Each structure stands twice: as structure tokens, then as C-alpha cells.
């Protein structure tokens, strides 16, 4: 491994570290809840290893307990994970350094934090495989180990709300959003997405607020766009310096 | 003794396939178009802001004042300091506000 790759990999590990506090309880609680819901250990680990999308896995075990038809569970998982279609289209533009096989694996790992970190990395310079997969390896192994710990020691995980762990994910995602504040029309896009998300959440219901709120923000971005605003064109020309 | 794989295993695999499809399809669809219009480009640049904001929005209003204020604190701190500082500040604010 040459020094540029090593440097990239080290940055990837460093950027993944803040996620620890959020992922460990999230994964452990999933393991504990899945045991309570009556899933076998093998099925719990296969779910975490192959689906690798926490919010949709929570919904899956919740619905398994309600004895609804299997197709409606798959549909719910699809609805919750629909936002990944947008992540995929967005980050796919920055994977020019990736081989076909690396791309296939990169999309498998495309969870919210790795998407946001990859976007931020591409904005500062170039997103390379060493960075992405170092981040992914830290995230994936933490996810699986914490999940296993939740399965084994679920009973002693206890009430996480005492330490605020139940609210780490919203707090963490808020920090991630603010990281993109220098992008064109950040504030109007943020406000419209929040308002539409809340409107949908209280009328149509979850999980549609994510995709519909997000799409409202994207439509505003498209309407407000001027040809010279494009961030990647700007950064390729070296005009953009993001702290 | 349950046999494995069982029907839940099949359901899990179906969920995994559907999830992977969402993660790969956006890129596969977009890459069929060569150069895209600046408006599409702007929309794609707005994905992290718009989708993550839509994801968090209900957490702003569905709990108490402590939770709402903790998110505001995290957002304000993130505008000046690193992400990890913002997460720590948000958490400390939450734990303290819940004590009140």
C-alpha cells in the first residue's frame, strides 16, 4: 500500500469514528429487540449482514410481530430505503476512481453516514476507494459486533434513554446536514425539506416523509439552479475551498 | 428445534435484495444519461441536505423541548466546530435538559 492510499485510509477511519457512539447502541438495541421478537440468532446476523440498513430492520422485526403478509414487509423496507436511490444517483458521480467490482461493493455499503462522508470528501477533493472502504470497514465491523453484543447481552443493555443514546441518531444527522451548509441555496432547501417532511409525516405518515420531503428539496434546488452554480464544476476549477 | 433456513430467512433475503436494488439503481439509471442538465446536477448536489433534513425533521417536534433544543444545539455547534464536537454538545445538552 503506497502512502497516498494509506493517507486516504487513515482519513476514512478518522471520519468514521464519530459514528461509533451512534452505531453501537443502535445496532445493539436491534439485536436485543430481534431476540425479543423471536428471531433466531442466525436470522438476526444474516439480516444485519445482508440488509445493512438499521431503520428498515427495526421496521421489519416490528411488522414480523404483527403477522402481516410478507410482501407488505418487503414493501415497507423498500419505502424506508427508497432514499438510497437518491444517494446512489448522487454519489455515483464521484466514483470515477472505482472499478466495476469496487462500485458494486460501494453501493452495498451505502448507509446514511458513509454517503454523507463520501459526498463531503468528494467536495473537498477526490473520493478514492481507500477512503471509502476504510470508512466502510470500520462502520460494518462496528455494526456487526455491536449487533452480536445486543443479541448476547440484550437484557443488560437496559434503558439507553438515560444517557441520551436514544437520540444520538437525530443529533448526528443534524450535524451531518449542517456540514453541507456551503452548498448553493442550502437554507431554502433545508427549510422546504423540513416543512414538507413534517407535513407528510403528520398526514400520510412514516416513512414517506423521508422521500417526499427530500424530493421537495431537490425540486427547489433544480428550480433555483443557475448553470454556474454547480459545485463539482466549481471544485474542479479550484474555486471552492470548504473548511 | 427449528429448521434453518426458515421462512424468516427467505424474508430477510428478500429485504436484502430490495435494499441493494435501492442502493445501486439510482446510479444505474443516471449513468444511462451522459451529460445531465445543470438543474438535475443541482438537485443531486442537494441530496445530502434535503434527504437528511427530511429524515431528521420529525425528531424536532415529536418529543419534548429537551429533544428539540438538543437538535438545535447540535446544529449550531456543527456550524462552527467539527461533527464530533457537535454530537457531544447535542448529547450533553440533551442529558442536562432531561434532568431539569
Amino acid at each position: 500500500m503506497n502512502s497516498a492510499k494509506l493517507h486516504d485510509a487513515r482519513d476514512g477511519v478518522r471520519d468514521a469514528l464519530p459514528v461509533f457512539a451512534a452505531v453501537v447502541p443502535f445496532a445493539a438495541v436491534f439485536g436485543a429487540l430481534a431476540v425479543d421478537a423471536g428471531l433466531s440468532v442466525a436470522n438476526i446476523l444474516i439480516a444485519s449482514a445482508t440488509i445493512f440498513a438499521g431503520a428498515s430492520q427495526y421496521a421489519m422485526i416490528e411488522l414480523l410481530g404483527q403477522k402481516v403478509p410478507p410482501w407488505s414487509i418487503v414493501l415497507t423496507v423498500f419505502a424506508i430505503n427508497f432514499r438510497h436511490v437518491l444517494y446512489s444517483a448522487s454519489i455515483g458521480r464521484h466514483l470515477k476512481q472505482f472499478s466495476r467490482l469496487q462500485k458494486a461493493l460501494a453501493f452495498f455499503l451505502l448507509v446514511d453516514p458513509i454517503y454523507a462522508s463520501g459526498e463531503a470528501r468528494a467536495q473537498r477533493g477526490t473520493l478514492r476507494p481507500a477512503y471509502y472502504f476504510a470508512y466502510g470497514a470500520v462502520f460494518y465491523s462496528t455494526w456487526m459486533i455491536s449487533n452480536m453484543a445486543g443479541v448476547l447481552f440484550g437484557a443488560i443493555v437496559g434503558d439507553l434513554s438515560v444517557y441520551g443514546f436514544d437520540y444520538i441518531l437525530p443529533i448526528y444527522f443534524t450535524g451531518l446536514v449542517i456540514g453541507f451548509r456551503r452548498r448553493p441555496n442550502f437554507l431554502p432547501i433545508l427549510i422546504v425539506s423540513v416543512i414538507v417532511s413534517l407535513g407528510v409525516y403528520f398526514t400520510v405518515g412514516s416513512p414517506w416523509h423521508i422521500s417526499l420531503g427530500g424530493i421537495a428539496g431537490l425540486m427547489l434546488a433544480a428550480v433555483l439552479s443557475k448553470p454556474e452554480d454547480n459545485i463539482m464544476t466549481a471544485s474542479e476549477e479550484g474555486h471552492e475551498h470548504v473548511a | 428445534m427449528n429448521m434453518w433456513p426458515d421462512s424468516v430467512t427467505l424474508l430477510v433475503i428478500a429485504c436484502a435484495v430490495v435494499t441493494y436494488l435501492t442502493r445501486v439503481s439510482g446510479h444505474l439509471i443516471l449513468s444511462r444519461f451522459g451529460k445531465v442538465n445543470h438543474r438535475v446536477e443541482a438537485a443531486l448536489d442537494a441530496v445530502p441536505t434535503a434527504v437528511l433534513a427530511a429524515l431528521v425533521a420529525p425528531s424536532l417536534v415529536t418529543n419534548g423541548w429537551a429533544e428539540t433544543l438538543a437538535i438545535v444545539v447540535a446544529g449550531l455547534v456543527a456550524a462552527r466546530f467539527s461533527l464530533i464536537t457537535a454530537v457531544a454538545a447535542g448529547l450533553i445538552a440533551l442529558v442536562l435538559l432531561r434532568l431539569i
Side-chain angles (χ1 to χ4, degrees):
Chain A
M1 195 182 268
N2 64 39
S3 69
K5 273 187 183 165
L6 206 62
H7 191 266
D8 260 21
R10 203 182 56 209
D11 286 356
V13 172
R14 183 200 60 204
D15 289 355
L17 292 182
V19 198
F20 257 83
V23 172
V24 172
F26 193 58
V29 171
F30 172 75
L33 287 177
V35 170
D36 284 348
L39 268 75
S40 67
V41 174
N43 283 339
I44 296 170
L45 294 181
I46 289 174
S48 285
T50 62
I51 304 175
F52 188 48
S56 66
Q57 290 175 225
Y58 274 88
M60 181 186 77
I61 54 170
E62 171 78 24
L63 291 174
L64 270 171
Q66 296 175 16
K67 307 276 177 255
V68 298
W71 63 263
S72 71
I73 300 180
V74 178
L75 184 67
T76 302
V77 167
F78 175 75
I80 294 173
N81 291 332
F82 183 78
R83 67 187 188 282
H84 296 139
V85 175
L86 302 170
Y87 293 170
S88 168
S90 172
I91 202 146
R93 302 172 299 162
H94 308 312
L95 302 183
K96 295 192 172 65
Q97 306 271 330
F98 289 57
S99 71
R100 278 181 88 87
L101 193 65
Q102 285 174 327
K103 276 187 194 172
L105 182 60
F107 287 122
F108 172 74
L109 293 169
L110 195 58
V111 289
D112 303 279
I114 201 170
Y115 165 66
S117 303
E119 277 278 328
R121 183 80 175 174
Q123 189 174 334
R124 284 193 301 266
T126 311
L127 175 59
R128 278 180 288 267
Y131 175 88
Y132 193 98
F133 292 119
Y135 191 115
V138 170
F139 192 98
Y140 193 84
S141 51
T142 307
W143 166 255
M144 289 307 294
I145 292 166
S146 313
N147 192 230
M148 192 69 214
V151 169
L152 294 174
F153 311 115
I156 58 169
V157 170
D159 186 8
L160 291 162
S161 67
V162 178
Y163 311 105
F165 279 131
D166 57 321
Y167 234 65
I168 283 190
L169 280 176
I171 288 172
Y172 176 70
F173 287 139
T174 302
L176 284 179
V177 171
I178 302 302
F180 295 98
R181 66 190 175 280
R182 293 188 210 284
R183 293 203 169 181
N185 303 310
F186 172 78
L187 213 52
I189 293 167
L190 179 75
I191 291 167
V192 163
S193 299
V194 167
I195 290 172
V196 174
S197 167
L198 290 177
V200 173
Y201 184 83
F202 289 114
T203 54
V204 185
S206 183
W208 302 105
H209 64 287
I210 306 171
S211 298
L212 295 178
I215 288 169
L218 304 191
M219 286 167 65
L220 180 68
V223 170
L224 296 177
S225 168
K226 298 180 199 74
E228 68 274 16
D229 265 355
N230 192 283
I231 62 148
M232 291 324 288
T233 325
S235 69
E236 273 160 20
E237 290 164 4
H239 294 321
E240 187 171 277
H241 299 284
V242 179
Chain B
M1 189 70 194
N2 286 330
M3 288 295 284
W4 187 87
D6 53 24
S7 62
V8 175
T9 315
L10 294 179
L11 176 74
V12 164
I13 299 297
C15 292
V17 170
V18 161
T19 301
Y20 188 71
L21 285 178
T22 65
R23 286 177 174 161
V24 78
S25 63
H27 173 66
L28 292 182
I29 294 165
L30 188 73
S31 59
R32 300 193 77 87
F33 304 91
K35 181 95 182 106
V36 294
N37 180 282
H38 72 90
R39 294 189 192 281
V40 176
E41 203 75 39
L44 293 171
D45 289 340
V47 169
T49 307
V51 179
L52 290 173
L55 191 66
V56 173
S59 309
L60 266 172
V61 294
T62 49
N63 288 281
W65 282 107
E67 287 75 9
T68 304
L69 281 173
I71 287 185
V72 172
V73 166
L76 292 176
V77 174
R80 292 301 300 270
F81 302 97
S82 70
L83 179 58
I84 194 160
T85 313
V87 172
L91 270 183
I92 291 167
L94 180 61
V95 172
L96 292 179
L97 288 164
R98 277 178 175 170
L99 288 175
I100 296 171

